[in-house]
């Protein structure tokens, strides 16, 4: 059995690992590489090579193909290992499912924020009433779709099962459920704003319709009254011009003619 040629001490938190390499490296004037050290440490510590950070004498061993000797590491050197072991919980299918739901919740939350912004902009009155109501109807449909998606995600979370030793996963799921319920309350608030705005617009249109009818009615009455006045006064000499032949033509003031909005011979 070959004697040990190189042995280093690796410190990982409160743990210490002794890593050795066979004497063949020394005989061939070669040295173990950082990659080989990292692979040995993965087996000993459980920290994956990709998650490791090795430090010796204040220098990070970033070049995996470089030799330990190039970093001044010899037998008896101390190396610090930074990195954590992968938690079996995070690698479980159940936990990954929760993470996927969290991602979907984040996307739906963004959509909800966009809907809320559009509703607030419409309330400022930048669009005509008919266009605003049409846009609010579309936003309300989008809001219902978001709400339905939230409910589906709640059903997915409810269907997940965890063991007694998966307390962290259950707490993670509860946090996602609480977040979805909070967002559902927000969708209800936005829906109430939309409904209130649409109701106000309908009432305003009803009032405007009455105002327009009353205005048209008054204008019609005014024309009729002026028409009657003209008929009553049509025989008055002051309302006629007489030519040399004695014939007469009716005369009506320009103001009255404009008010009647018709020609004097359109009666």
């Amino acid at each position: 059995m070959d004697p040990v040629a190189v042995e280093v001490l690796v410190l990982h938190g409160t743990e210490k690992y002794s890593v050795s390499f066979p004497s063949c490296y020394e005989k061939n004037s070669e040295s173990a590489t950082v990659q080989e050290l990292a692979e040995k440490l993965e087996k000993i510590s459980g920290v994956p090579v990709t998650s490791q950070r090795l430090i010796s004498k204040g220098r990070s061993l970033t070049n995996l193909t470089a030799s330990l000797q190039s970093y001044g590491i010899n037998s008896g050197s101390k190396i610090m290992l930074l990195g954590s072991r992968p938690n079996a919980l995070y690698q479980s299918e159940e936990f990954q499912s929760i993470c996927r739901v969290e991602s979907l919740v984040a996307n739906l939350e963004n959509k909800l924020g966009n809907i809320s912004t559009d509703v607030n902009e419409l309330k400022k009155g930048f669009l005509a009433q008919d266009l605003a109501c049409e846009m609010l109807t579309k936003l309300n449909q989008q809001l219902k779709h978001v709400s339905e998606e939230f409910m589906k995600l709640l059903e997915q979370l409810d269907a997940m099962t965890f063991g007694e030793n998966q307390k962290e996963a259950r707490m993670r799921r509860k946090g996602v459920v609480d977040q979805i319920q909070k967002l559902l309350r927000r969708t209800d608030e936005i829906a109430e704003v939309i409904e209130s705005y649409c109701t106000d617009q309908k009432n305003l249109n009803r009032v405007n319709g009455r105002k327009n009818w009353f205005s048209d009615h008054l204008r019609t009455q005014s024309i009729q009254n002026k028409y009657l006045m003209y008929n009553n006064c049509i025989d008055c000499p002051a309302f006629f011009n007489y030519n040399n032949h004695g014939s007469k033509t009716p005369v009506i003031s320009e103001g009255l003619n404009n008010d009647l909005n018709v020609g004097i011979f359109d009666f």
Side-chain angles (χ1 to χ4, degrees):
M1 184 174 180
D2 291 332
V4 173
V6 178
E7 184 175 347
V8 296
L9 181 65
V10 179
L11 307 177
H12 182 216
T14 59
E15 299 176 314
K16 298 179 181 180
Y17 309 113
S18 179
V19 182
S20 59
F21 297 92
S23 59
C24 60
Y25 288 108
E26 187 179 38
K27 289 179 182 179
N28 297 327
S29 298
E30 296 175 350
S31 175
T33 63
V34 176
Q35 177 73 35
E36 291 172 307
L37 173 61
E39 290 173 354
K40 283 181 174 287
L41 286 174
E42 181 175 4
K43 295 177 181 179
I44 299 172
S45 66
V47 180
V49 173
T50 54
S51 300
Q52 293 181 20
R53 184 184 177 192
L54 300 172
I55 301 175
S56 175
K57 300 176 183 179
R59 296 177 62 191
S60 295
L61 312 183
T62 56
N63 186 357
L64 296 179
T65 61
S67 66
L68 297 178
Q69 194 175 51
S70 66
Y71 281 105
I73 299 173
N74 300 304
S75 185
S77 296
K78 293 181 179 180
I79 300 174
M80 183 180 293
L81 168 63
L82 301 178
S84 58
R85 304 179 182 89
N87 193 323
L89 168 65
Y90 300 136
Q91 295 179 328
S92 65
E93 177 60 30
E94 293 82 0
F95 195 85
Q96 292 299 320
S97 297
I98 295 177
C99 292
R100 286 192 290 270
V101 171
E102 285 179 325
S103 178
L104 293 173
V105 170
N107 291 335
L108 290 173
E109 185 176 6
N110 290 334
K111 291 182 180 179
L112 189 61
N114 293 334
I115 293 173
S116 178
T117 300
D118 291 342
V119 171
N120 290 332
E121 289 297 320
L122 287 174
K123 287 178 61 180
K124 294 178 181 179
F126 294 143
L127 285 179
Q129 291 181 6
D130 54 344
L131 295 177
C133 289
E134 181 181 350
M135 182 61 68
L136 284 172
T137 300
K138 293 180 180 179
L139 291 174
N140 195 37
Q141 292 174 350
Q142 296 177 18
L143 192 64
K144 290 181 179 179
H145 174 73
V146 170
S147 180
E148 291 172 357
E149 291 299 314
F150 278 139
M151 295 303 297
K152 290 179 182 178
L153 293 179
L154 284 177
E155 293 175 358
Q156 291 183 28
L157 292 170
D158 185 61
M160 296 179 185
T161 56
F162 301 99
E164 291 296 328
N165 61 338
Q166 294 179 303
K167 181 179 179 180
E168 187 175 351
R170 294 199 303 272
M171 294 298 295
R172 187 73 170 260
R173 177 179 63 177
K174 183 179 183 302
V176 180
V177 170
D178 291 343
Q179 176 69 5
I180 292 177
Q181 290 176 340
K182 178 181 177 181
L183 292 172
L184 281 173
R185 288 192 293 270
R186 187 178 174 190
T187 59
D188 292 339
E189 292 172 357
I190 297 174
E192 290 177 0
V193 172
I194 293 177
E195 182 179 1
S196 175
Y197 182 83
C198 288
T199 301
D200 291 343
Q201 291 301 309
K202 289 179 181 178
N203 292 335
L204 182 61
N205 290 338
R206 190 178 297 114
V207 171
N208 288 338
R210 291 174 179 174
K211 287 182 177 179
N212 292 337
W213 176 87
F214 188 68
S215 176
D216 292 342
H217 179 71
L218 289 179
R219 184 173 181 277
T220 301
Q221 290 295 321
S222 175
I223 292 176
Q224 290 176 347
N225 291 338
K226 291 178 180 180
Y227 176 73
L228 290 175
M229 179 186 70
Y230 173 76
N231 283 339
N232 292 334
C233 299
I234 197 71
D235 292 330
C236 178
F239 277 80
F240 291 92
N241 278 334
Y242 294 85
N243 56 23
N244 296 330
H245 302 286
S247 61
K248 59 182 180 179
T249 57
V251 176
I252 193 166
S253 68
E254 182 180 353
L256 179 60
N257 193 35
N258 290 336
D259 288 339
L260 294 175
N261 200 26
V262 291
I264 59 174
F265 298 109
D266 290 338
F267 292 109

